[in-house]
Amino acid sequence: MGQIRLMDEPLSNKIAAGEVVERPASVVKELVENAIDAGSTSIDVFLEEAGLQTIHVTDNGSGMDEEDAVLSFSRHATSKISNEHDLFRIRTLGFRGEALASIASVSKVSLWTSDGVTSGTHIEIEGGYIKKQTAGALRKGTDIKISQLFYNTPARLKYMKTIQTELGHIIDLLNRLALCYPSVAFKLTHGEQTLLQTNGRGDLQQVIAAIYGISIAKKMIAFEGESADYKIYGYASLPEITRASKNYLTLFVNGRWVKHYTVQQSIVNAYHTFLPIDRYPLVILQIEGDPFLTDVNVHPSKQQIRLSKEKELMQLVEETIRKTIRSIMRAPEIVEKTKKVSTPSEQMDLWKSTPPPVKSSYVKEVPSLPTFNKEVDFNVVKETHETHAMPNLEDEDIESLNTASNEPFPELDIVGQIHGTYIIGQSADGFYLIDQHAAQERIKYEFFREKVGDVHSEERQSLLIPLSFHYSADEALKVKEHQLVLEEIGIFLEEFGPTTFIVREHPVWFPKGFEEEVVKELIEQVLNDRRPDIKKLREEAAIMMSCKRSIKANHFLTKEDMSMLIKDLKNTEHPFTCPHGRPVIIHFTTYEVEKMFKRVM
Ligand code: ADP
Ligand code: MG
């Protein structure tokens, strides 16, 4: 008896801090979100030792009066919700009222705040206990400094990674917050170094330029769309910019940076066949919907979110982005990169704090024939490290951003073929190289995609000798389970004993000579996929069939063959990339060629 005691508040806060305050970046997140909630238009974050020594956030928001300033450090103290009803209508980033209490319990805090009306307040807290409270200055806004984070929780401190890692998390976080709030001027400084600075003018593309560089920002296209319940908008990269990870897909739901696998997947789907396998675009996606549909009270960090009407949203995202990308598809142009004195606008591209990836040299300075051996500027835009400095953007530069337009397939006059692999064509604006294999893959892919989508009306071809396929018992069960899905793509299986299936006929358009291979591979797809869905399977079937029948490299084509191929290519919906996302055609503009020969400067 008498063993149970209520914990004192600082102790229970310290325990709660385990969830909210994982690392310096979590403290920065809570403080900056508070500043945003307070309506700030300018937020400065100053760090020392990646925040482990100092995190100092200054804002020009509403500030607090003395009473609120003291109360803000109590657990469950919040000005943001007052009843259960509010919990489903959250418009602010905070609402749990526990961040400041948790942070104060594991650090030393100095707070200066003023609502601009009553006199300001200055409070000092150590390990959760108020040590000092005096009057402060009357500047409207809040200035909060966290020192010696985790000084009283050595076990937590031990878990911290290197300064670079912790700093990386903070930069990433601030970048995303800046992308979400273009109307707030953010500044992030680490010691002497400015890592991010945005101007708060409300232009998302300028923020993209500040974070990823101007050359990337120029290749981002605005999109917007609406469904019954959701509104979306943002920027999506041209297919010529790719990244190796999904880390460059930034999602916001009602002003909150979230991670949401299925929505992310719908972005990836939007780029299907426009990007090479395992490469991802760069997308900033803002989603707005009734807070009632978006439950953020899933985890203390509020990064996970539960969405209602998810299917509707996924469709909206996929269709809106795909439509946008489609409208600007064009042949990548070859651009000469020389070390000549750059013009001011070109210097913009070079402001990055990390050097751009080294490219091979192009025109060699030798007295013999100049060799053309430079790289083409399409998917070679490789990973550059996130850049942290702020270019000085002039309004003109901003206007010149994003002028990519919808380009039709060029009118080509065929010149010939080289290495049995590439077709050369010319037009008024230069010449073009076409990868014949990639071109045919695109043509066949669109052919099969249409066929695979329409099996019912098609005639069937009977096989002289039926094909048979054997599986293990569990595989056979799965095949049976998805027999209808397989029929939708033209595979008609008949059970023949418990673990064997036979195929007696197939649609007439099946790639000749590859029937067995195709059926086998598609069944395998179904077996390997946890939840095979018909749309995806159709795509995969079309891609696979298109590869089977394409003319390979090193294959001589007559002029007629070439004309036919180009004509068919021109008639496809997306002639510029193969179904794997590789380019089909590259443009050498007259101007660039003349520049290479030094005919023009
Ligand atoms: P929450 O944000 O979930 O309400 P916090 O512990 O982060 O909880 O903050 C507690 C309260 O302190 C907030 O509800 C807000 O009223 C006040 N507050 C915190 N930071 C600021 C700030 N920078 N400017 C104005 N008020 C603030
Ligand atoms: Mg908060």
Side-chain angles (χ1 to χ4, degrees), residues 418 422-425 431-435 584-588:
I418 44 175
Y422 304 106
I423 298 168
I424 304 179
F431 73 92
Y432 292 78
L433 274 185
I434 294 132
D435 179 330
V584 170
I585 175 164
I586 293 166
H587 185 185
F588 292 71

Side-chain angles (χ1 to χ4, degrees), residues 34 38 59 62 64 72 77-80 94-100 142:
N34 279 347
D59 71 46
S62 63
M64 289 177 270
S72 67
T78 179
S79 57
K80 298 168 192 175
F95 60 87
R96 300 173 67 103
E98 60 188 3
L100 287 188
T142 302

Side-chain angles (χ1 to χ4, degrees), residues 32 101 107 128 137 156 174 194 278 289 319 434 454 460 521 527 578:
V32 174
S107 67
R156 175 66 64 155
L174 256 284
T194 301
D278 291 336
E319 280 172 8
I434 294 132
D454 182 25
R460 299 197 192 160
E521 281 184 38
L527 290 175
C578 81

Side-chain angles (χ1 to χ4, degrees), residues 331 409-427 431-443 551 553 555 557 561-563 565-570 575-577 583-588:
F409 194 81
E411 282 301 333
L412 291 184
D413 170 22
I414 290 166
V415 178
Q417 187 194 29
I418 44 175
H419 298 310
T421 304
Y422 304 106
I423 298 168
I424 304 179
Q426 61 177 343
S427 76
F431 73 92
Y432 292 78
L433 274 185
I434 294 132
D435 179 330
Q436 67 192 40
H437 176 61
Q440 210 183 30
E441 268 188 19
R442 168 53 72 180
I443 296 162
I551 34 172
H555 184 95
L557 299 176
D561 294 339
M562 290 188 258
S563 297
L565 189 70
I566 300 299
K567 195 170 137 243
D568 289 346
L569 180 63
K570 199 175 162 172
F576 299 117
T577 59
V584 170
I585 175 164
I586 293 166
H587 185 185
F588 292 71

Side-chain angles (χ1 to χ4, degrees), residues 451 454-460 507-509:
K451 294 294 182 195
D454 182 25
V455 279
H456 304 294
S457 63
E458 285 293 334
E459 267 178 68
R460 299 197 192 160
V508 282
W509 47 260

Side-chain angles (χ1 to χ4, degrees), residues 5-176:
R5 250 170 287 126
L6 278 176
M7 292 186 238
D8 71 354
E9 207 182 283
L11 177 60
S12 64
N13 288 338
K14 209 165 153 181
I15 292 170
E19 274 186 319
V20 191
V21 191
E22 207 185 335
R23 58 191 340 155
S26 8
V27 176
V28 175
K29 177 170 189 284
E30 295 297 337
L31 299 182
V32 174
E33 289 189 349
N34 279 347
I36 293 170
D37 281 345
S40 310
T41 55
S42 167
I43 301 173
D44 279 15
V45 180
F46 171 77
L47 308 169
E48 280 173 329
E49 286 179 40
L52 286 165
Q53 189 52 42
T54 311
I55 298 172
H56 191 165
V57 178
T58 308
D59 71 46
N60 64 350
S62 63
M64 289 177 270
D65 65 13
E66 188 187 346
E67 194 188 336
D68 281 357
V70 174
L71 204 57
S72 67
F73 289 98
S74 314
R75 186 113 170 267
H76 307 309
T78 179
S79 57
K80 298 168 192 175
I81 58 176
S82 57
N83 58 42
E84 220 175 300
H85 176 75
D86 292 346
L87 193 52
F88 300 103
R89 314 231 148 263
I90 292 163
R91 289 264 174 213
T92 50
L93 294 168
F95 60 87
R96 300 173 67 103
E98 60 188 3
L100 287 188
S102 300
I103 293 166
S105 72
V106 293
S107 67
K108 298 178 181 174
V109 181
S110 303
L111 172 85
W112 295 264
T113 187
S114 166
D115 59 8
V117 183
T118 53
S119 85
T121 308
H122 171 55
I123 299 177
E124 300 220 345
I125 300 179
E126 230 171 81
Y129 297 93
I130 296 190
K131 293 277 153 141
K132 187 175 162 192
Q133 184 182 340
T134 58
L138 193 75
R139 185 193 75 87
K140 187 177 170 195
T142 302
D143 188 324
I144 185 166
K145 187 169 151 192
I146 312 299
S147 315
Q148 297 176 43
L149 184 62
F150 302 133
Y151 81 101
N152 56 353
T153 51
R156 175 66 64 155
L157 198 55
K158 241 175 53 193
Y159 275 106
M160 291 305 115
K161 303 265 166 51
T162 62
I163 294 283
Q164 270 318 311
T165 307
E166 296 305 331
L167 189 59
H169 283 288
I170 297 175
I171 295 169
D172 189 41
L173 168 81
L174 256 284
N175 284 348
R176 315 267 185 179

Side-chain angles (χ1 to χ4, degrees), residues 7 376 445:
M7 292 186 238
V376 178
Y445 162 72

